[in-house]
Amino acid sequence: MAGSLPAAPVPINRLAEPLLKKLSASLDRAAPSRGWRDLAQLAGSQGRVKLSSRELEQCSLQVLEPEGSPSWSLLQLMGERGCTVLELTELLQTLEHTEALQCLNPPSIKVVVEPESQAVLSGRMVKLSCWAAGCPLLHYQWFKEEKAIPHGNFPELVLNQVSADDAGFYICRVNSDYSYEFSHWAQLDVCDIQGACHGNCLDLPERKIHICIHPQSQNLLVGEKLILQCGAIGIPLPQYQWYRNGSPLTNGDKKVYMVSCMDTEHQGTYWCHVYNDQDNQESKKIKVIIGGKSIAVECSEEDVNDFEMSDLEEQSTERQFAIDKVALLMGNMNYYNHPKLKAPLVDVYELTNLLRQLDFKVVSLLDLTEPEMRNAVNEFLLLLDKGVYGLLYYAGHGYENYGNSFMVPIDAPNPYRAANCLCVQNILKLMQEKDTGLNVFLLDMCRKRNEYDNTVLILDALKVTANIVFGYATCQGAEAFEIQQSGLANGIFVKFLKERLLEDKKITVLLDGVAEDMGRCHLTKGKQALEIRSSLSEKRALTDPIQQTVTSVESLARNLQWAKAHELPESMCLQFTCGVQIQLGFAAEFSNVLIVYTRIVKKPPEITVCKAYVTDFPLDLDVDPKEANKGTPEETGSYLLSKDLPKHCLYTRISSLQKLKEDLTFTVCLHYEYAGVDDVVDERKVVNIGKPLIAKLRIHQGYRKKSCFQNSFMPNGPGFAPPPGAVEAGYCPPHHNHQPHSYAGFPQASPAHPGSLQPARCHCSTTPNRLVAWPATWSYPSSSSQSNIPVETTDELESDFSGSLRLSHQQ
């Protein structure tokens, strides 16, 4: 990985200026028979470069200049005549000019002490060492993943009182003036379990393994999930191997061992063998029992006899009803640090209209940050009550770890972890606590594993209420796709869901039909399939009627919250001094997207030219001046309301209303000219329309740190700390194009650990009927030879599906 001078035939004058100066100084002070004149004579005699007497004299006269150098002039002339570095090297070898040759071929750098991977307790001091030899003057720079460490310019990197944030991969770059070398990657794993070692770890020999987290015995039922965890500290980094009944387990080489669906064959004695090349230890042996105690319902023979089939038939035909129906639809598209999406715009809009036909109170929101998503869910929970039907739809980036699904806000960092996202299972638990009659979660996102996330969620079990229905747009470990049509995008899931959503069928039967429709789509067969999970034992449908027996306080609160989120400003007519009247109207595209349209409705005849526009919107809002005051809604980015808005107006689209902190005020500007007068006259009016739509709920206010949505984490859970990205260090800047980046000076031979974690939801593009994965931009280190970190891809599909439809996939 060392950098050195190029071996290609490069002209002398292409050498770096510092190197040319050093080479010239060496030739200027050389002993007789090895100076610049001898070099010129030898080059001429061998036919390389012939210089005239006048040119040699000009070189010689350089000694009269304050900083002149005859050798510099000679080398410049030789380079201009096509003399290469390789030819110059051969000439210097003939002259036996050792000093000059060393300038062209500096000694290589060799790292003699590599940094060592290790696992330590939080709060301890960690020292990583990298020592190199080969040049008298060496420079060091440490990196944590892709970022240079401030003041990390010494052979030893000392980290005082490390925490979980310090976990990750480290590398050191050593360079001289002309070459560089990278150390090996070193992984630092930080065990952050409070009191896990009971104070016994402090006196351990430095290179001994000590197990801080032991697995716990479990008593499970068939079908439940098993999660066993083991955590250890030691130098070098400990490795793990799980055993059951004395036999090593396949895929049991991580800290966490999981079985997603337990059966009787999985019960037995489990333990973990922890080892490195210095030591090895075994965890406590624990029992995993399948079956547990049987639970029976006591009843008499008479009770059994009374329970006849006629009762069952009557129950199966009885129509269910909802106390109320509420839905929250969230679509994230414009991510700060991740690929943007298209389909959530259309998907959320179309589902909103369909659910309103089913009498759902719908709040539809686009592009939410983490606190905004949490507060939106909190407002949604306020709408729930006993017997209410609650539906939550999410489209955007996402992932799934160990059976828990995570929705990714638009401000999530890269890479993101559970703490940056919303856990679906946590929200579902809070929905169940409201005693809802039906909980429907529709997740239109990818469900790939996120190994950047080294935490395990500890969640309380859901209540056995038999009212949960999950509709996953794709299977576990797979991606979701979008359809592109006339500039607008639909997700594959919603494309088929919207065709059936109004059917009067049990929700699980309806989703089964959607799954069958998706299965017949040749574009995504083998790539995406709907997965349905349900604990629904009653025949409940989205079409069930609303039946309120008593108007409760909760019902009134629901109606009030819904009204707040959908209250539009009243249309107004503005009268200007010159006699011009302007109509100002408003429409809601989403609960946080407002369309403002203006039209001149009256103009005195003496005014020949008259134009009006709106401006000066609060900085909190997303209003692009270049896309405001347009002649069509499409020009503003509003493709969905075009047919419903009045014609011959100027339109402005205002997004992100959830960020509005004060009343929404803006200025209406009027420019006009009188007949025969060249001067343009301006009039302005400031308009205050209060807090429209979702702004009334003030969900921009950040949630308290200890929110009911905060995830419970088990530190140092599955996998290891995130692998590094591209080290932004080297001698050439990166070339940004559509190919894998190439950074000069980056260790290309590091162990394979693919790509950046951004698989989330997917869309397609223009290559017919194919699925293409870009290669990983960088090679990352891994603790094992095989890695299952998802690779960032750009999958492309196209077809004549539904006429002009095209599929496109998100990176």
Side-chain angles (χ1 to χ4, degrees), residues 467-517:
N467 62 353
I468 304 169
V469 177
F470 266 113
Y472 292 100
T474 192
C475 295
Q476 186 174 8
E479 295 172 326
F481 291 85
E482 298 178 348
I483 303 172
Q484 195 171 24
Q485 181 183 20
S486 304
L488 298 179
N490 245 142
I492 282 285
F493 175 43
V494 173
K495 162 63 184 174
F496 294 104
L497 176 64
K498 68 182 183 181
E499 302 299 326
R500 292 182 175 270
L501 196 64
L502 300 181
E503 293 179 356
D504 186 18
K505 294 180 180 178
K506 184 178 177 181
I507 179 63
T508 50
V509 175
L510 184 150
L511 290 175
D512 281 336
V514 176
E516 293 172 5
D517 294 343

Coordinates of all heavy atoms in Angstrom, one line a residue, residues 467-517:
N467 N -55.3 -8.2 18.0 CA -55.8 -7.1 17.1 C -54.7 -6.5 16.3 O -54.8 -5.3 15.9 CB -56.5 -6.0 18.0 CG -55.4 -5.4 19.0 OD1 -54.3 -5.9 19.1 ND2 -55.9 -4.4 19.7
I468 N -53.6 -7.2 16.0 CA -52.5 -6.6 15.3 C -52.4 -7.2 13.9 O -52.5 -8.4 13.7 CB -51.2 -6.9 16.1 CG1 -51.2 -6.4 17.5 CG2 -50.0 -6.3 15.3 CD1 -50.1 -6.9 18.3
V469 N -52.2 -6.3 12.9 CA -52.0 -6.7 11.6 C -50.8 -5.9 11.0 O -50.8 -4.7 11.0 CB -53.2 -6.5 10.7 CG1 -52.9 -6.9 9.2 CG2 -54.4 -7.3 11.2
F470 N -49.8 -6.6 10.6 CA -48.6 -6.0 10.0 C -48.7 -6.3 8.5 O -48.9 -7.5 8.0 CB -47.3 -6.7 10.5 CG -46.7 -5.9 11.6 CD1 -46.6 -6.5 12.9 CD2 -46.2 -4.7 11.5 CE1 -46.1 -5.8 14.0 CE2 -45.6 -4.0 12.5 CZ -45.5 -4.6 13.8
G471 N -48.5 -5.3 7.7 CA -48.3 -5.5 6.2 C -46.9 -4.9 5.8 O -46.7 -3.7 5.8
Y472 N -46.0 -5.8 5.6 CA -44.6 -5.4 5.2 C -44.6 -5.4 3.7 O -44.9 -6.4 3.1 CB -43.6 -6.4 5.8 CG -43.4 -6.4 7.3 CD1 -44.0 -7.3 8.1 CD2 -42.6 -5.4 7.9 CE1 -43.8 -7.3 9.5 CE2 -42.4 -5.4 9.2 CZ -43.1 -6.4 10.0 OH -42.9 -6.3 11.4
A473 N -44.1 -4.3 3.1 CA -44.1 -4.2 1.7 C -43.1 -5.2 1.1 O -43.2 -5.5 -0.1 CB -43.7 -2.8 1.3
T474 N -42.2 -5.8 1.9 CA -41.2 -6.7 1.4 C -40.9 -7.7 2.5 O -41.2 -7.4 3.7 CB -40.0 -6.0 0.8 OG1 -39.2 -7.0 0.1 CG2 -39.2 -5.4 1.9
C475 N -40.2 -8.8 2.1 CA -39.8 -9.8 3.1 C -38.6 -9.4 3.9 O -37.9 -8.4 3.5 CB -39.6 -11.1 2.4 SG -41.0 -11.8 1.6
Q476 N -38.3 -10.1 5.0 CA -37.2 -9.8 5.8 C -35.9 -9.9 5.0 O -35.7 -10.9 4.2 CB -37.1 -10.7 7.0 CG -36.0 -10.4 8.0 CD -36.1 -11.2 9.2 OE1 -36.9 -12.1 9.3 NE2 -35.3 -10.9 10.2
G477 N -35.0 -8.9 5.0 CA -33.8 -9.0 4.3 C -33.8 -8.5 2.9 O -32.8 -8.5 2.2
A478 N -35.0 -8.1 2.4 CA -35.2 -7.7 1.0 C -35.5 -6.2 0.9 O -35.7 -5.5 1.9 CB -36.4 -8.5 0.4
E479 N -35.5 -5.7 -0.3 CA -35.7 -4.3 -0.6 C -37.1 -4.1 -1.2 O -37.8 -5.1 -1.6 CB -34.7 -3.8 -1.6 CG -33.3 -3.8 -1.1 CD -32.3 -3.5 -2.2 OE1 -32.5 -3.9 -3.3 OE2 -31.2 -2.9 -1.8
A480 N -37.6 -2.8 -1.2 CA -38.9 -2.5 -1.8 C -38.6 -1.6 -3.0 O -37.7 -0.8 -3.0 CB -39.7 -1.8 -0.7
F481 N -39.6 -1.6 -4.0 CA -39.4 -0.9 -5.2 C -40.5 0.1 -5.5 O -41.5 0.0 -4.9 CB -39.3 -1.9 -6.4 CG -38.1 -2.8 -6.3 CD1 -38.0 -3.9 -5.6 CD2 -36.9 -2.4 -7.1 CE1 -36.9 -4.7 -5.6 CE2 -35.8 -3.2 -7.0 CZ -35.8 -4.4 -6.3
E482 N -40.2 1.0 -6.4 CA -41.1 2.0 -6.8 C -41.4 1.9 -8.3 O -40.6 1.4 -9.0 CB -40.5 3.4 -6.5 CG -40.2 3.7 -5.1 CD -39.6 5.1 -4.9 OE1 -39.2 5.7 -5.9 OE2 -39.5 5.5 -3.7
I483 N -42.5 2.4 -8.7 CA -42.9 2.5 -10.1 C -42.9 3.9 -10.5 O -43.4 4.8 -9.8 CB -44.3 1.9 -10.4 CG1 -44.4 0.5 -9.9 CG2 -44.6 2.0 -11.8 CD1 -45.8 -0.1 -9.9
Q484 N -42.3 4.2 -11.7 CA -42.3 5.6 -12.2 C -43.2 5.7 -13.3 O -43.2 5.0 -14.3 CB -40.8 6.0 -12.6 CG -40.6 7.5 -12.7 CD -39.2 7.8 -12.9 OE1 -38.4 7.0 -13.4 NE2 -38.8 9.0 -12.6
Q485 N -44.1 6.7 -13.3 CA -45.1 6.9 -14.3 C -45.3 8.4 -14.5 O -45.7 9.1 -13.6 CB -46.4 6.3 -13.9 CG -47.5 6.4 -15.0 CD -48.8 5.8 -14.5 OE1 -49.0 5.6 -13.4 NE2 -49.7 5.5 -15.5
S486 N -45.0 8.9 -15.7 CA -45.2 10.3 -16.1 C -44.6 11.2 -15.1 O -45.2 12.2 -14.7 CB -46.7 10.6 -16.2 OG -47.3 9.7 -17.2
G487 N -43.4 10.9 -14.6 CA -42.7 11.8 -13.6 C -43.1 11.6 -12.2 O -42.4 12.1 -11.3
L488 N -44.2 10.8 -11.9 CA -44.6 10.5 -10.6 C -44.3 9.1 -10.3 O -44.2 8.2 -11.2 CB -46.1 10.8 -10.4 CG -46.5 12.2 -10.6 CD1 -48.0 12.3 -10.4 CD2 -45.8 13.2 -9.6
A489 N -44.1 8.8 -9.0 CA -43.7 7.4 -8.6 C -44.7 6.8 -7.7 O -45.3 7.5 -6.8 CB -42.3 7.5 -7.9
N490 N -44.9 5.5 -7.9 CA -45.7 4.7 -6.9 C -44.8 3.6 -6.4 O -44.0 3.1 -7.2 CB -46.9 4.1 -7.7 CG -48.2 4.6 -7.2 OD1 -49.2 4.7 -8.0 ND2 -48.4 4.8 -5.9
G491 N -45.0 3.3 -5.1 CA -44.4 2.1 -4.7 C -45.1 0.8 -5.2 O -46.3 0.9 -5.4
I492 N -44.4 -0.2 -5.4 CA -45.0 -1.5 -5.9 C -46.1 -1.9 -4.9 O -47.2 -2.3 -5.3 CB -43.9 -2.6 -6.0 CG1 -43.1 -2.4 -7.2 CG2 -44.6 -4.0 -6.0 CD1 -43.8 -2.8 -8.5
F493 N -45.9 -1.8 -3.6 CA -46.8 -2.2 -2.6 C -48.1 -1.3 -2.7 O -49.2 -1.9 -2.8 CB -46.2 -2.0 -1.2 CG -47.2 -2.2 -0.1 CD1 -48.0 -3.3 -0.1 CD2 -47.2 -1.4 1.0 CE1 -48.9 -3.6 1.0 CE2 -48.0 -1.6 2.1 CZ -48.9 -2.7 2.1
V494 N -48.0 0.0 -2.8 CA -49.2 0.8 -2.9 C -49.9 0.7 -4.2 O -51.1 0.8 -4.3 CB -48.8 2.3 -2.6 CG1 -50.0 3.2 -2.8 CG2 -48.3 2.4 -1.1
K495 N -49.1 0.4 -5.3 CA -49.7 0.2 -6.6 C -50.8 -0.8 -6.5 O -51.9 -0.7 -7.1 CB -48.6 -0.2 -7.6 CG -49.1 -0.8 -8.9 CD -49.9 0.1 -9.7 CE -50.5 -0.6 -10.9 NZ -51.4 0.2 -11.7
F496 N -50.5 -1.9 -5.8 CA -51.5 -3.0 -5.7 C -52.4 -2.8 -4.5 O -53.6 -3.2 -4.6 CB -50.8 -4.3 -5.6 CG -50.0 -4.7 -6.9 CD1 -48.6 -4.6 -6.9 CD2 -50.7 -5.2 -8.0 CE1 -47.9 -4.9 -8.1 CE2 -50.0 -5.5 -9.1 CZ -48.6 -5.4 -9.2
L497 N -52.0 -2.2 -3.5 CA -52.8 -2.0 -2.3 C -54.0 -1.0 -2.6 O -55.1 -1.3 -2.2 CB -52.0 -1.4 -1.2 CG -52.7 -1.0 0.1 CD1 -53.3 -2.2 0.8 CD2 -51.8 -0.2 1.1
K498 N -53.7 0.0 -3.4 CA -54.8 1.0 -3.7 C -55.9 0.4 -4.5 O -57.1 0.9 -4.5 CB -54.2 2.2 -4.3 CG -53.7 2.0 -5.7 CD -53.1 3.3 -6.3 CE -52.6 3.1 -7.7 NZ -52.0 4.4 -8.2
E499 N -55.6 -0.7 -5.2 CA -56.7 -1.3 -6.1 C -57.6 -2.1 -5.2 O -58.8 -2.4 -5.6 CB -56.0 -2.3 -7.1 CG -55.0 -1.6 -8.0 CD -55.7 -0.5 -8.9 OE1 -56.9 -0.7 -9.2 OE2 -55.0 0.5 -9.2
R500 N -57.3 -2.5 -4.0 CA -58.1 -3.3 -3.1 C -58.5 -2.7 -1.8 O -59.3 -3.2 -1.1 CB -57.4 -4.6 -2.8 CG -57.2 -5.5 -4.0 CD -56.5 -6.8 -3.6 NE -56.4 -7.8 -4.7 CZ -57.3 -8.7 -5.0 NH1 -58.3 -8.8 -4.2 NH2 -57.1 -9.6 -5.9
L501 N -58.0 -1.5 -1.5 CA -58.2 -0.9 -0.2 C -59.6 -0.7 0.2 O -60.0 -0.8 1.4 CB -57.4 0.4 0.0 CG -57.1 0.9 1.4 CD1 -56.3 -0.1 2.2 CD2 -56.5 2.2 1.4
L502 N -60.5 -0.4 -0.8 CA -61.9 -0.1 -0.5 C -62.7 -1.4 -0.5 O -64.0 -1.3 -0.2 CB -62.4 0.8 -1.6 CG -61.7 2.2 -1.7 CD1 -62.4 3.1 -2.7 CD2 -61.8 2.9 -0.3
E503 N -62.1 -2.6 -0.7 CA -62.9 -3.8 -0.6 C -63.4 -4.1 0.8 O -62.7 -3.9 1.8 CB -62.1 -5.0 -1.1 CG -61.7 -4.9 -2.6 CD -60.8 -6.1 -3.0 OE1 -60.5 -6.9 -2.1 OE2 -60.5 -6.2 -4.2
D504 N -64.7 -4.5 0.9 CA -65.3 -4.8 2.2 C -64.9 -6.3 2.6 O -65.7 -7.2 2.5 CB -66.8 -4.7 2.1 CG -67.5 -4.9 3.4 OD1 -66.8 -4.8 4.4 OD2 -68.7 -5.1 3.4
K505 N -63.7 -6.4 3.0 CA -63.1 -7.7 3.4 C -62.3 -7.6 4.7 O -61.8 -6.5 5.0 CB -62.2 -8.3 2.3 CG -63.0 -8.6 1.0 CD -62.0 -9.2 -0.1 CE -62.7 -9.6 -1.4 NZ -61.7 -10.1 -2.4
K506 N -62.2 -8.7 5.4 CA -61.4 -8.7 6.5 C -60.0 -8.3 6.1 O -59.5 -8.6 5.0 CB -61.3 -10.2 7.1 CG -60.5 -10.3 8.4 CD -60.5 -11.7 8.9 CE -59.6 -11.9 10.1 NZ -59.6 -13.3 10.6
I507 N -59.3 -7.4 6.9 CA -58.1 -6.8 6.5 C -57.0 -7.8 6.1 O -56.3 -7.6 5.1 CB -57.6 -5.9 7.7 CG1 -56.2 -5.2 7.3 CG2 -57.4 -6.6 9.0 CD1 -56.3 -4.3 6.1
T508 N -56.9 -8.9 6.8 CA -55.9 -10.0 6.4 C -56.3 -10.6 5.1 O -55.4 -10.9 4.3 CB -55.9 -11.0 7.5 OG1 -57.2 -11.5 7.8 CG2 -55.2 -10.5 8.8
V509 N -57.6 -10.8 4.8 CA -58.0 -11.3 3.5 C -57.6 -10.3 2.4 O -57.2 -10.6 1.3 CB -59.5 -11.7 3.4 CG1 -59.9 -12.1 2.1 CG2 -59.8 -12.7 4.5
L510 N -57.9 -9.0 2.6 CA -57.6 -8.0 1.7 C -56.1 -8.0 1.4 O -55.7 -7.9 0.2 CB -58.0 -6.6 2.3 CG -57.9 -5.4 1.4 CD1 -58.9 -4.4 1.7 CD2 -56.5 -4.7 1.6
L511 N -55.2 -8.0 2.4 CA -53.8 -8.0 2.2 C -53.3 -9.3 1.5 O -52.3 -9.3 0.7 CB -53.1 -7.9 3.5 CG -53.2 -6.5 4.2 CD1 -52.6 -6.4 5.6 CD2 -52.6 -5.4 3.3
D512 N -54.0 -10.4 1.8 CA -53.7 -11.6 1.0 C -53.9 -11.4 -0.5 O -53.1 -11.9 -1.3 CB -54.5 -12.8 1.5 CG -54.0 -13.4 2.8 OD1 -52.8 -13.3 3.1 OD2 -54.8 -14.0 3.5
G513 N -54.9 -10.7 -0.8 CA -55.2 -10.4 -2.2 C -54.1 -9.5 -2.8 O -53.7 -9.7 -4.0
V514 N -53.7 -8.6 -2.0 CA -52.6 -7.7 -2.5 C -51.3 -8.5 -2.7 O -50.6 -8.3 -3.7 CB -52.3 -6.6 -1.5 CG1 -51.1 -5.7 -1.9 CG2 -53.5 -5.7 -1.3
A515 N -51.0 -9.4 -1.8 CA -49.8 -10.3 -1.9 C -49.9 -11.1 -3.2 O -48.9 -11.3 -3.9 CB -49.7 -11.2 -0.7
E516 N -51.1 -11.7 -3.5 CA -51.2 -12.5 -4.7 C -51.0 -11.6 -6.0 O -50.4 -12.0 -6.9 CB -52.6 -13.1 -4.7 CG -52.8 -14.2 -3.6 CD -54.2 -14.7 -3.6 OE1 -55.0 -14.3 -4.4 OE2 -54.5 -15.5 -2.6
D517 N -51.6 -10.4 -5.9 CA -51.4 -9.5 -7.1 C -49.9 -9.2 -7.3 O -49.4 -9.2 -8.4 CB -52.2 -8.2 -6.9 CG -53.7 -8.4 -6.8 OD1 -54.1 -9.5 -7.3 OD2 -54.4 -7.5 -6.3

